[in-house]
Amino acid sequence: MDEQLPNNNSATTTSAPLNVGNNITGILLQEKKIILDQYNLLKSDSLNKGEPIDKVLLDSKLVKEDDYYEARAKLIGIPFVSVATLPFSPEALSFVPKGVAEKYKVIPFSFDKERNILSLAMSDPLDLETVNFVKQKTNANIASFQGIPGEIKNAIQNQYTFGLVGEVKAALKETEEMTGVKTFDKESLSQVIKEAPIAKIVSTILEYAVKSKASDVHLEPQEDRVRVRYRIDGILYERLSLPLPVKDAVISRIKILSDMKIDEHRIPQDGRFNFKFGDEEVDLRVSSLPVIFGEKIVMRLLKKSGGVPTLPELGLGGTALKNLEVSILRPHGIIIVCGPTGSGKTTTLYSVLSKLNTTRVNILTLEDPVEYQIHGSNQVQINPDVGLTFATGLRSFLRQDPNIILVGEIRDKETTELAIQASLTGHLVFSTLHTSSASGALPRLLDMGAENFLLASTMNAILGQRIARKICTHCKKQYKPAKELVGELGKVLGNLITIKNEEILLYKGEGCDYCGHSGYSGRVGIFEVLPVTQTLAGLILTKSDASTIEKQAKAEGMITMKQDGYLKVLGGISTIDEILRVAQE
């Protein structure tokens, strides 16, 4: 069957027929998801097999499942929903037992308490018997949505084992019982918060964060619910929706764990605690912020187990890796890592320090905060409240006989001058700077008061970086890119690589359960390493601008971040869209 149907990319598009019939295939033809030649072959096959044309289309796998069921939703006049990317409300799930959901191929995902409406994703929304059955069992009005059967089946398995259905139900019951109480003291509230349902809700939220390798968890009170979002591979995904009555207890539970004041709601607070799940232990940095509907909580997860990745594991390779390794092996000088917040600067510095860390050198680090512990090094966390800043700490470091110094960030003139002084007196100094590119770091340091002749003699190398998502290896698919895309690759890469249009094949993720249907799993760094040569030192002396410095660095062989990203696209590691998202100026 599949072999008889022309490929959508290769066949010639013809205008749609006047009457395509009242069916899904006709809608997809009108929306140009299939072409007329394919439609006619499907129609012919339908007549030969004696089956409806829509069934023949679905069996042929000619269109994506989501396109097929979205067209079906339009045909029957019911809203379409993709449950693979939906945030689920445990309160809604508690209305329909798992056995019933499996039997009738439905899953509830949202509940509007005020209007008593339960939103239900169904494999077949025209099954009025099932709608009436759920309505009678739940005493709620049912809003039916067309879902994708495979996604509904997976969601039933995943969401009912998320572990919150019973806990949220119990917590809501307790909350309702407490509604008559006008006041209660801090001790009685603390006891309620520590009890099983609320503790289990918080624990499950954190377990999911560890399992999904999230870097941050956001609990955000909204007008009608509490939204729970996870930052996975740099992107925020909404994965859970908690009912409003459990908001205060959940947030207070987190505040107790973090050693914050639970009776203080007017000002931001910070705290931390450890969480162990299986063999993995994470350190959580917790921040609370008063917002109009309550307090927003953000938890940053820092893994305590697992080693620091090596430079090649981060994504450094070729000339960039060689230039960086040469620079860090020099006994003194300054090496700066540049990029915006969240671009992996600290991780890169930790990788470098791990490479240099031996019993023969004294490594001192000054950080805000200390994110990972490096065995054998001396790490200091700044504390401005008692006068321990980057500048005061760095001044003290020079009396501690260091070989290698890491200053978390160069923020002001005093820190800049001290870093230069430390490198001039025979120390290797590492730091970070918030600039968009490696070449932009030099003018920025000059703006902060660094003397040009001192900067020219102390700077070893500057590294610019971003983090891009990697294609999921479980749903990775090859495709032939459009000519315009090949032209863009050729234009950016220039003479780095010869590109022939007919030979280029790229990759993308189709989306699967493993990657949460995003098509991406894991991240890789894209880098540009600018070694400060004699020519570039001359440009620093004349206070040249960033574009002049970058032009000279490229002439000397520097590969830019965008070029490095495109090389990773050709290597099947990431996608063009992802590189443009993180590296496009």
Side-chain angles (χ1 to χ4, degrees), residues 149-159 513 517:
E151 285 187 1
I152 289 173
K153 186 179 177 181
N154 289 335
I156 291 168
Q157 295 307 315
N158 295 336
Q159 294 300 328
D513 291 336
H517 296 269

Side-chain angles (χ1 to χ4, degrees), residues 144-190:
S144 301
F145 289 79
Q146 173 68 63
I148 301 168
E151 285 187 1
I152 289 173
K153 186 179 177 181
N154 289 335
I156 291 168
Q157 295 307 315
N158 295 336
Q159 294 300 328
Y160 281 96
T161 54
F162 202 77
L164 290 185
V165 177
E167 282 69 25
V168 168
K169 203 171 183 179
L172 284 169
K173 189 178 178 184
E174 285 181 13
T175 311
E176 283 167 10
E177 287 169 1
M178 287 167 60
T179 49
V181 182
K182 298 295 177 190
T183 57
F184 45 85
D185 60 28
K186 186 176 170 182
E187 283 69 30
S188 63
L189 175 64
S190 297

